[in-house]
Amino acid sequence: MPMPAPLMYDDEIAALPAFRTLAYLDGAPDDPRIALAVGAMFDAFVARFRDDLGLISMRLVGRSGKPSKVTPKALKDLREWISAPDQLDSGAGVRLGSLNTDELPPAMPWFRLEQRYDDQTLVEISVAPDAPDVLSFADEIAGALATAPMICAAQGFGFFLPTAYDSLNWLLPRLAERYKTALLHTLDMPSCGLRRAHSTMPYTDDMKPGIADIGWRTFVGPEYLDRLPSPFDLPYDVRVEAGEAMLILTAGDAPMWGDVQKAENIDSYRAIAAALAPVRYPYAIALNQNFGGDTAAPDQADLIKAHFHRLD
């Protein structure tokens, strides 16, 4: 499958096409269930991409997060920390990525783990969409996520914006007009709307928190499940895995970009979006927070609205 071109800004690469996992877990990284699940994801990531890794960063209490070179000892130390995290605080985290290149800051393959507030662990894994056996890798990551205390998560094709380029996140929704099923959020962008307690703006009476995004594979945690209908009316090609701890919906056998120029059929994604409508992310918060908010550029409010409704 041909890949989309990178997203450019001022004639330089800003974001790369990727296969992405964005996960929001219920609890801090020192929750034993989260430590086990994150450890399994980390092991799968390192086993496949060890030779491509070059830079490591640990931003913890008392540590600046200054990047250093990946060495066997550094990977071992990081794995031990994931098993028994300490020095935690909101915003504390670790990052592991490829070597610097002339085109991009520390880039894919990319693994990021971060504590958000006192009750969220965020995980991002981004790898090249044409990486060998990328779907079996996705299944390994999904298997680990299925054991974790879940808020929500999404997997699928999307665009990876390096953390060093966070200030360019306002560019990302411009991709949604063509690539309807692409995961475009940066990791921490939607986290404040997952739970009412963390909103930076007041909730009106009819607003409810919602899941971060919908992807090829979408995970919905238990706090949202009582707002969903049962059973779902979904197409035959949507796989549904339902349990007390989470709901997992998968749109077909393989992810797609939803490229409107190629008239890709995204009916399964649209059906999932319709089924999950009661737990979709609150639009007012998306408009205020996502992609730099509605003041980032003159047309930004329209772009955020179009991204929000891209699967409707």
Side-chain angles (χ1 to χ4, degrees):
M1 176 186 296
M3 282 194 296
L7 175 66
M8 308 297 292
Y9 182 68
D10 281 350
D11 297 323
E12 295 185 358
I13 293 174
L16 289 170
F19 182 89
R20 308 184 71 202
T21 298
L22 301 173
Y24 305 85
L25 306 181
D26 183 15
D30 57 355
D31 180 314
R33 299 169 300 167
I34 289 178
L36 282 173
V38 172
M41 289 188 280
F42 180 84
D43 290 343
F45 176 80
V46 172
R48 296 212 179 210
F49 301 107
R50 179 189 297 268
D51 292 343
D52 299 315
L53 301 174
L55 293 176
I56 192 169
S57 166
M58 298 180 70
R59 192 178 71 256
L60 307 172
V61 175
R63 300 184 65 164
S64 68
K66 183 179 180 181
S68 59
K69 289 185 178 180
V70 167
T71 64
K73 182 180 185 304
L75 286 177
K76 180 175 180 290
D77 290 346
L78 177 51
R79 182 64 179 90
E80 290 177 351
W81 183 88
I82 288 172
S83 297
D86 60 2
Q87 299 173 284
L88 291 171
D89 196 5
S90 181
V94 297
R95 298 168 183 173
L96 179 63
S98 76
L99 288 168
N100 272 349
T101 68
D102 292 337
E103 294 84 17
L104 209 63
M108 298 184 300
W110 176 257
F111 181 99
R112 178 182 171 193
L113 165 67
E114 186 167 307
Q115 181 174 350
R116 185 78 167 171
Y117 313 112
D118 59 355
D119 62 354
Q120 292 180 22
T121 295
L122 281 55
V123 180
E124 176 186 5
I125 302 172
S126 289
V127 302
D130 58 352
D133 300 319
V134 70
L135 294 188
S136 63
F137 173 68
D139 289 343
E140 285 185 78
I141 299 302
L145 283 175
T147 70
M150 179 63 62
I151 300 175
C152 62
Q155 285 186 312
F157 288 148
F159 283 79
F160 168 73
L161 183 77
T163 305
Y165 286 178
D166 273 351
S167 63
L168 296 179
N169 64 19
W170 59 274
L171 291 168
L172 292 170
R174 285 152 176 75
L175 294 160
E177 182 178 5
R178 176 170 178 180
Y179 301 109
K180 295 290 187 182
T181 60
L183 296 174
L184 299 178
H185 288 132
T186 60
L187 178 62
D188 53 357
M189 189 183 296
S191 63
C192 70
L194 304 181
R195 287 176 166 160
R196 191 165 182 150
H198 303 313
S199 174
T200 58
M201 56 185 292
Y203 272 63
T204 60
D205 291 341
D206 59 345
M207 283 175 59
K208 294 181 180 179
I211 63 174
D213 211 346
I214 291 169
W216 166 57
R217 185 179 276 139
T218 305
F219 299 73
V220 182
E223 62 199 87
Y224 306 108
L225 296 183
D226 62 358
R227 289 157 51 189
L228 293 174
S230 182
F232 286 115
D233 181 16
L234 289 167
Y236 72 92
D237 59 342
V238 174
R239 186 168 75 249
V240 181
E241 302 166 71
E244 293 183 2
M246 71 184 71
L247 174 73
I248 307 172
L249 302 175
T250 306
D253 294 332
M256 61 178 60
W257 293 98
D259 188 344
V260 298
Q261 293 188 13
K262 298 179 180 177
E264 290 185 330
N265 185 338
I266 62 169
D267 286 350
S268 57
Y269 287 78
R270 294 188 190 280
I272 290 172
L276 297 180
V279 297
R280 294 279 296 277
Y281 196 82
Y283 172 67
I285 296 179
L287 187 64
N288 181 265
Q289 298 288 331
N290 290 351
F291 306 110
D294 60 1
T295 61
D299 59 348
Q300 196 73 1
D302 291 338
L303 290 167
I304 294 172
K305 181 178 180 180
H307 173 266
F308 187 87
H309 292 292
R310 71 196 188 280
L311 298 176
D312 294 344

